[in-house]
Amino acid sequence: MAKKFSQEHEWIELEDGIATVGITDYAQQSLGDIVYVELPEVGKKLTKDGDAAVVESVKAASDVYAPLDGEIVEVNEDLDDNPALVNEAPETDGWFFRMTLTDESQLDELMDEAAYNDFVEGL
Amino acid sequence: MTFTTHTGNRGLVLEEKLIFEQGQAGRTGVDLPEPKGTKSRLGGLDRDSDVGLPGLSEPQVVRHFTRLSQKNFGIDSGFFPLGSCTMKHNPRINEKVARLPGLSDLHPMQPESTVQGALELMDQCAHWLLVLTGMPAVAMSPAAGAQGELCGMMAIRAALDARGENRRRVLVPESAHGTNPATAAACGFTVDSIPATEDGRVDLAAFEAKLGDDVAGIMLTNPNTCGLFERDVRKIADLVHEAGGYFYCDGANFNAIVGRVRPADLGIDAMHINLHKTFSTPHGGGGPGSGPVVFSDALAPFAPIPYVVRTENGFRLVETADENDGTKPFGRLKGFHGQMGMFIRALAYMKSHGSDGLRQASGDAVLNANYLLARLKDKLSVAYPGYCMHEALFDDGFLKDTGVSTLDLAKAIIDEGFHPMTMYFPLVVHGALLVEPTETETKESIDEFCDSVLHLVGKAQSGDAEFFKNAPYLTPRRRLDETAAARKPVLRWKPETA
Amino acid sequence: MRYLPLTSADRASMLETIGASSVEELYSDVPDGALLDAPVDLPSHLGEMQVERDMMALAAKNTGASSVPSFLGAGAYRHHVPATVDYVIQRGEFLTAYTPYQPEIAQGTLQYLFEFQTQVASITGMDVANASMWDGATSCAEAVLMACRATRRKKAVLSGGVHPHYREVTETYCQYSDTEVAGRDGNPEQQATVEELDDLIDDQTACVVVQYPDVFGRVQDHTKLAEVCHAKGALLVVVFTEAVAFGAIKSPGSFGADIVCGEGQSIGNALNYGGPYVGLFATTQKLVRQMPGRLCGETVDQDGKRGFVLTLSTREQHIRREKATSNICTNSGLCSLAFTVHMSLLGEDGYRRLATLNHENACKAADALDAVPGVTVVNDSFFNEFTVKLSKPAAEVVETLVAKNVLGGVPLSRLYPNRSDLDNYLLVAVTETNTDDDIAALADALKEALA
């Protein structure tokens, strides 16, 4: 499935019922050098727009909200040792977590890439 | 000319290794008697491994710390206009009297009869604070400003609990210091942010609209973090009281008004006083501070233990809640009785100035800040119109399109021999520069600073961004890589593993 | 006034530049009637000589702890502080600096903080330590809150051996954050067993807090307790009041403690009638991001030279605001410098010898007191402080000793005012500063007082 995007600058990619979530290239550029990512525990239940993770630069800590309802099944442990992955490859190796979805139809509320690019343009 | 030396030292700028890299086994900086070899009674838990401390002689230790000190900038070194921190001169008489054996060599658990002078000193210090604020009660024990806030907000929480009310929302202006929301959260309150008006003060209409029967109170800094007096402070106090809430005043900026305005006359219920700001106790590289809190009659019964009372038979230290005297302390904030060492220094300072001198000091602090504002306002961009109190606030509008940031300018100011102003605080002003000269600076030093800043601003505006990006050039260390430090934190020395 | 450099001519010319007619005009935002037109009702200014005289008069009304044989502990200890310590901390570059926000001109402060953190981690046997807290009691409270964050649980179990002030401060800090503080009452005659504490640990318990050596002076192994805690997903917090002890006893880190914190006053800092002191706070690498307070870290500068900065500041109030790990801001900078200088002078040999001398003196005193009729030493184990049971209420005995010019110890009734069963117990601390004559004076005075 093609990537979807949230207004909170997350990308979501669904494969076999599991969504992979990360922050967009635009987000990592605005945050600057990422020094730490606080990831949720596997098994944590997420509610759309609720707290999911925290991404930290030297002078700022930003909450990452859950783009959808669901449950965490895996987190990117590589980020523990190498948070710079979020800067280097935000939309591939720098993914944050994988989750199951309670309601796949929530994906329809998110933007496709073209719409997200327009959204970022307008900021 | 530039060249590298063999040692890496540059004349008086000396490189200095960590003590752990200098030590030798068998060396020590103390001469202690030989132990007698008594059989130990340590419950079988005698230490059986090395601690890992280096051995240095006394001259090595003296030299080490002397060299380290030379890499530091203090008020004694030069102009230190760090806004909101009140970096005023720290008189040495304060240090001298704090070391009198009759004051420094007192154990906190000595019987009251052997510490009457100490209790009297605490009582005197409290008396000065009460008269200067016009308030009826004071808790002396908070360890620092942030703990003073905790003390004030816990008293509010206790008072609400005593009223049987479940108010949990605290209003905090968006310009507030970060400790305010952190403190409110620690007391179980939720924080509701109040916007500012275009002239840098609380938006009264927005504030009024937020009031309700779930509001516990407001935390307001006055003079505020933008260096401005809140004109509507009495109206704010009346409104919050009418709504059934309390008024916590952050007294971080008391230095601007001490001896001229009594916070009691503004309708406050609680206020902490940073003795290390207003009353000249040393900042010490980040403490120790001291944050006594004055209370209104409404909150006084909830003040924490311990406290000093005067009786017919001398001074007494109350360390336990007494149900019979009408008090309902919310608890205890620290071990023992408070930052006695700071009370001594603050009292020496207050006695030195007297009521006349304190009034002169606040006036001169405000005069110095307004003079600095007047000297810089045409070339820098003033954040808000009108007179300021003890500190002047600018935004980074004057650096627009220069490619130079507030941080870059500050780093260039370091090369000029000054400590920079506070940067990027308050958060409500873009690229904020908050400059607080304090009353202990001469007109000459303020002029020299202003001339230097104007020179640098001209340089920035003439397109020399590269120069600023790489500043400072002349310091013991140049810009440090904070990203690397945070990504892979190295928080202690460790021996090299072979 | 000697601290105020502006002359009348300066003031006039500055007002002219500003365009104001008077200083009062600068206060025009102050509401009507709130601006005072005369000094408040307090004495006028004094010269330095008069201030010194006033303060000396107050000092003269006290009995300095070193002016008589003195045996007080209970969380604050009298040790010899080398002259070098006070020289270093009075250097203006340290005394009058602030929090090292500009690392290029604060490497002095930052480097000693890095050394301080390493010393604290070393003596406690932990991975990392922070740049200090306010004191031991607040460190204990912050440790409990940290354990709650780390485990996402809301209950702390405090052993009866924890200093009552530490317990009260912890209860105060926890009371408005829905955190339950459970635990047992202290008993100098009987130590709580691991099983007894185990019974209090449930699936909501974030941590168990023990003191080592405990408030009655006992030295107890907590290895088993650590295992019990970890098996139930709780952390073990070890607090201490006497930092010299770790020169003689095994470090709390060797038990498997998760957080070790306490009072650092003993090293480098005067008694100061209770403050300012310095809270030490150490933990494991795994928990470092949950730690409160400031942290100094190593890095390099633009030219590749080693340097130090404050780091991991996203935990702190100025960035995280209401989500911060603590509201602490200013800590105990200068007291941590005093600690670092004293510890540097001591070094491995000095630190361990100092601890041994404390223990030997305490052993000597325990034997001397045990021989006094009406006195029983309660402790089987101790470092430099132990509890004795007297044949009379300890508070009265202490007053009698004051009349004989001996500061004989801390009556437990002062720490536990609501525990009449402890009225006859006295806590006695003995350090390297106590001479044989001091010990004899205490034994003699007790003999007379109890006769």
Side-chain angles (χ1 to χ4, degrees):
Chain A
M1 190 203 87
K3 269 190 188 145
K4 291 281 199 172
F5 295 84
S6 77
Q7 293 201 353
E8 300 289 341
H9 306 285
E10 291 138 316
W11 55 265
I12 299 94
E13 194 168 27
L14 187 71
E15 203 172 322
D16 301 332
I18 302 288
T20 303
V21 180
I23 63 167
T24 64
D25 189 48
Y26 172 85
Q28 72 81 15
Q29 279 190 33
S30 2
L31 289 166
D33 291 340
I34 305 299
V35 299
Y36 181 65
V37 183
E38 187 185 317
L39 293 166
E41 286 170 48
V42 170
K44 180 176 170 161
K45 297 223 178 356
L46 300 182
T47 327
K48 189 172 187 306
D49 301 329
D51 290 345
V54 182
V55 55
E56 298 184 2
S57 62
V58 170
K59 303 276 182 205
S62 313
D63 290 313
V64 175
Y65 303 105
L68 305 155
D69 294 340
E71 186 177 323
I72 300 285
V73 292
E74 189 185 351
V75 297
N76 186 357
E77 283 168 10
D78 290 347
L79 297 183
D80 272 352
D81 284 336
N82 190 10
L85 275 178
V86 180
N87 294 116
E88 290 156 11
E91 303 194 18
T92 53
D93 291 348
W95 61 278
F96 279 26
F97 52 81
R98 297 205 163 101
M99 61 190 288
T100 57
L101 301 187
T102 312
D103 175 8
E104 283 196 19
S105 73
Q106 283 182 333
L107 281 167
D108 300 339
E109 296 161 30
L110 300 171
M111 293 175 275
D112 63 16
E113 187 160 4
Y116 177 70
N117 288 341
D118 288 346
F119 169 71
V120 167
E121 258 331 78
L123 292 176
Chain B
M1 63 187 278
T2 57
F3 62 94
T4 353
T5 57
H6 175 67
T7 53
N9 297 333
R10 285 181 296 149
L12 274 176
V13 184
L14 298 158
E15 292 297 312
E16 183 62 11
K17 289 179 182 167
L18 295 164
I19 50 166
F20 301 92
E21 297 160 338
Q22 298 185 36
Q24 295 285 342
R27 236 181 234 162
T28 182
V30 293
D31 288 318
L32 294 166
E34 187 78 34
K36 297 189 178 66
T38 313
K39 187 176 178 310
S40 77
R41 300 180 206 174
L42 297 167
L45 292 165
D46 302 52
R47 179 175 269 280
D48 53 6
S49 61
D50 281 350
V51 181
L53 299 170
L56 287 85
S57 64
E58 181 179 304
Q60 279 185 295
V61 172
V62 169
R63 187 172 289 167
H64 174 72
F65 287 101
T66 302
R67 286 181 172 201
L68 290 190
S69 77
Q70 290 168 337
K71 299 176 198 298
N72 256 12
F73 192 102
I75 304 165
D76 286 358
S77 320
F79 189 49
F80 204 133
L82 190 65
S84 96
C85 297
T86 313
M87 303 299 288
K88 62 169 72 177
H89 171 62
N90 299 155
R92 286 312 199 276
I93 180 67
N94 300 354
E95 297 305 309
K96 186 178 180 187
V97 296
R99 286 168 172 80
L100 290 170
L103 296 176
S104 66
D105 186 30
L106 299 178
H107 191 283
M109 291 277 123
Q110 280 183 221
E112 280 169 356
S113 60
T114 67
V115 289
Q116 284 296 303
L119 298 176
E120 185 178 346
L121 192 150
M122 287 170 75
D123 186 65
Q124 272 192 31
C125 191
H127 177 72
W128 278 78
L129 297 178
L130 291 177
V131 174
L132 288 169
T133 57
M135 300 290 281
V138 61
M140 295 299 284
S141 67
Q147 206 183 30
E149 289 179 30
L150 201 62
C151 176
M153 294 309 288
M154 282 192 172
I156 288 175
R157 179 75 196 256
L160 290 169
D161 287 354
R163 278 159 47 179
E165 292 188 40
N166 195 33
R167 293 163 177 262
R168 289 295 175 268
R169 196 155 51 93
V170 170
L171 306 179
V172 183
E174 56 188 8
S175 60
H177 194 266
T179 48
N180 288 182
T183 300
C187 299
F189 293 117
T190 57
V191 175
D192 193 357
S193 190
I194 323 170
T197 56
E198 280 185 7
D199 69 352
R201 288 156 173 99
V202 167
D203 183 330
L204 200 60
F207 164 69
E208 205 167 347
K210 281 179 183 291
L211 289 171
D213 58 12
D214 64 332
V215 168
I218 182 173
M219 295 183 86
L220 179 69
T221 310
N222 189 38
N224 69 23
T225 59
C226 300
L228 303 169
F229 197 92
E230 292 282 354
R231 280 184 211 115
D232 297 321
V233 59
R234 273 190 178 154
K235 183 84 186 153
I236 291 167
D238 290 345
L239 286 170
V240 79
H241 289 148
E242 278 165 30
Y246 295 97
F247 180 0
Y248 183 82
C249 182
D250 181 325
N253 296 332
F254 191 42
N255 197 48
I257 58 171
V258 64
R260 290 176 181 266
V261 178
R262 289 179 304 188
D265 296 334
L266 306 175
I268 70 158
D269 291 297
M271 181 179 94
H272 78 262
I273 301 164
N274 304 80
L275 296 186
H276 52 290
K277 294 182 182 179
T278 308
F279 297 109
S280 85
T281 72
H283 283 71
S290 180
V293 178
V294 288
F295 283 118
S296 63
D297 284 322
L299 295 182
F302 305 98
I305 50 166
Y307 49 87
V308 177
V309 292
R310 191 194 288 255
T311 71
E312 280 175 9
N313 304 317
F315 294 93
R316 211 164 65 76
L317 184 70
V318 179
E319 295 178 284
T320 321
D322 181 354
E323 283 161 16
N324 303 319
D325 67 1
T327 63
K328 291 164 240 162
F330 68 73
R332 167 184 279 281
L333 283 170
K334 71 185 293 293
F336 307 118
H337 333 304
Q339 307 281 63
M340 179 66 172
M342 302 296 118
F343 305 154
I344 303 167
R345 291 169 174 88
L347 184 61
Y349 174 85
M350 291 189 283
K351 281 175 178 277
S352 295
H353 266 304
S355 61
D356 51 336
L358 288 170
R359 190 178 157 80
Q360 184 72 63
S362 55
D364 283 356
V366 170
L367 179 63
N368 275 350
N370 277 284
Y371 176 68
L372 184 142
L373 178 68
R375 288 244 17 226
L376 296 179
K377 69 178 175 193
D378 292 341
K379 289 282 160 47
L380 278 67
S381 23
V382 178
Y384 301 109
Y387 296 132
C388 63
M389 295 305 288
H390 62 303
E391 53 194 355
L393 178 62
F394 304 91
D395 62 35
D396 62 359
F398 67 101
L399 293 171
K400 195 167 186 286
D401 301 327
T402 60
V404 177
S405 68
T406 297
L407 180 77
D408 299 331
L409 178 67
K411 298 301 182 191
I413 288 175
I414 291 177
D415 274 338
E416 293 289 338
F418 306 105
H419 194 286
M421 60 287 277
T422 291
M423 296 176 288
Y424 304 104
F425 178 82
L427 305 173
V428 289
V429 170
H430 196 271
L433 300 92
L434 186 62
V435 199
E436 181 180 7
T438 84
E439 72 278 9
T440 58
E441 286 303 326
T442 60
K443 176 172 177 294
E444 300 91 288
S445 64
I446 296 170
D447 279 331
E448 192 187 23
F449 175 76
C450 291
D451 291 343
S452 307
V453 170
L454 293 172
H455 163 76
L456 289 172
V457 171
K459 195 164 170 151
Q461 288 169 346
S462 66
D464 202 352
E466 223 18 56
F467 169 80
F468 288 90
K469 291 279 165 220
N470 289 308
Y473 299 88
L474 307 173
T475 44
R477 283 294 179 273
R478 297 184 59 207
R479 281 197 211 189
L480 290 125
D481 188 343
E482 298 188 42
T483 302
R487 277 185 178 163
K488 288 244 181 278
V490 177
L491 305 174
R492 63 172 294 181
W493 176 85
K494 274 193 185 135
E496 304 250 347
T497 41
Chain C
M1 204 284 153
R2 59 192 180 276
Y3 308 148
L4 300 177
L6 297 186
T7 63
S8 311
D10 285 336
R11 291 187 184 111
S13 107
M14 291 163 82
L15 282 170
E16 198 181 321
T17 305
I18 295 165
S21 59
S22 67
V23 167
E24 281 64 36
E25 189 184 323
L26 304 176
Y27 286 89
S28 52
D29 287 332
V30 176
D32 288 345
L35 192 64
L36 303 173
D37 52 16
V40 294
D41 184 21
L42 286 165
S44 283
H45 66 276
L46 294 177
E48 188 169 310
M49 187 173 71
Q50 286 82 6
V51 171
E52 197 172 332
R53 196 177 286 155
D54 273 16
M55 302 305 272
M56 284 172 76
L58 288 168
K61 296 180 188 175
N62 301 315
T63 305
S66 301
S67 64
V68 294
S70 168
F71 297 88
L72 293 95
Y77 302 88
R78 187 168 62 97
H79 291 286
H80 175 73
V81 178
T84 300
V85 173
D86 210 33
Y87 155 73
V88 170
I89 69 168
Q90 286 202 71
R91 285 191 65 95
E93 302 92 328
F94 287 130
L95 186 80
T96 73
Y98 198 27
T99 306
Y101 294 123
Q102 302 293 328
E104 298 89 344
I105 46 171
Q107 284 299 303
T109 296
L110 287 159
Q111 184 169 331
Y112 87 65
L113 287 177
F114 190 78
E115 293 172 343
F116 170 80
Q117 290 174 184
T118 307
Q119 289 170 339
V120 174
S122 300
I123 64 169
T124 54
M126 302 300 283
D127 297 333
V128 288
N130 75 7
S132 84
M133 306 296 287
W134 293 319
D135 70 357
T138 54
S139 300
C140 177
E142 292 273 10
V144 165
L145 295 177
M146 170 174 157
C148 291
R149 282 193 302 276
T151 58
R152 299 189 176 130
R153 295 177 176 186
K154 285 285 195 186
K155 181 179 158 188
V157 173
L158 266 60
S159 137
V162 173
H163 193 294
H165 285 182
Y166 288 41
R167 187 193 183 104
E168 287 165 31
V169 172
T170 303
E171 286 169 348
T172 302
Y173 269 60
C174 289
Q175 63 186 333
Y176 299 131
S177 59
D178 301 325
T179 305
E180 182 191 346
V181 180
R184 301 218 174 258
D185 288 338
N187 183 348
E189 300 277 4
Q190 198 176 1
Q191 268 169 288
T193 62
V194 174
E195 288 70 28
E196 280 170 326
L197 288 169
D198 189 5
D199 287 346
L200 296 171
I201 308 174
D202 56 25
D203 62 0
Q204 266 311 297
T205 304
C207 63
V208 174
V209 185
V210 291
Q211 185 174 318
Y212 170 75
D214 77 2
V215 68
F216 306 112
R218 299 173 298 213
V219 189
Q220 194 177 5
D221 188 343
H222 297 295
T223 312
K224 214 159 161 202
L225 182 61
E227 286 163 14
V228 167
C229 288
H230 295 157
K232 293 194 174 181
L235 305 183
L236 176 66
V237 176
V238 177
V239 302
F240 59 89
T241 58
E242 171 52 289
V244 171
F246 302 135
I249 58 177
K250 285 183 182 167
S251 71
S254 69
F255 300 151
D258 300 284
I259 303 172
V260 179
C261 61
E263 183 53 67
Q265 170 271 329
S266 273
I267 301 187
N269 287 277
L271 288 169
N272 283 327
Y273 197 52
Y277 288 174
V278 50
L280 312 184
F281 200 105
T283 187
T284 59
Q285 189 66 42
K286 189 175 151 217
L287 293 172
V288 63
R289 285 179 192 271
Q290 300 293 341
M291 232 203 290
R294 293 197 158 123
L295 281 167
C296 169
E298 183 183 317
T299 188
V300 289
D301 81 347
Q302 211 171 333
D303 297 333
K305 292 181 183 166
R306 177 174 69 182
F308 304 92
V309 290
L310 291 180
T311 191
L312 304 187
S313 34
T314 43
R315 302 163 296 113
E316 293 184 65
Q317 47 74 27
H318 61 283
I319 291 176
R320 291 291 263 167
R321 298 176 82 84
E322 65 265 34
K323 288 183 177 170
T325 54
S326 162
N327 78 337
I328 192 168
C329 181
T330 288
N331 49 24
S332 293
L334 207 64
C335 301
S336 63
L337 175 60
F339 178 100
T340 310
V341 178
H342 192 183
M343 199 56 119
S344 302
L345 287 164
L346 288 168
E348 182 81 25
D349 292 356
Y351 180 55
R352 297 183 66 174
R353 181 175 283 198
L354 177 65
T356 306
L357 290 169
N358 271 262
H359 184 54
E360 287 193 341
N361 263 0
C363 289
K364 201 184 292 172
D367 290 343
L369 298 191
D370 216 23
V372 174
V375 181
T376 316
V377 174
V378 171
N379 295 48
D380 290 330
S381 65
F382 55 85
F383 168 61
N384 68 353
E385 186 167 25
F386 51 85
T387 307
V388 293
K389 188 174 189 189
L390 306 179
S391 55
K392 287 182 181 172
E396 289 169 26
V397 174
V398 163
E399 286 299 335
T400 314
L401 297 190
V402 167
K404 299 176 189 298
N405 267 326
V406 174
L407 294 172
V410 179
L412 285 186
S413 58
R414 178 139 182 210
L415 294 171
Y416 299 91
N418 302 319
R419 290 275 305 276
S420 55
D421 59 317
L422 300 180
D423 278 353
N424 284 22
Y425 292 90
L426 180 70
L427 201 51
V428 179
V430 193
T431 72
E432 81 286 359
T433 61
N434 291 109
T435 62
D436 290 354
D437 287 348
D438 287 350
I439 294 170
L442 175 63
D444 289 348
L446 275 173
K447 200 176 290 172
E448 289 174 33
L450 296 171

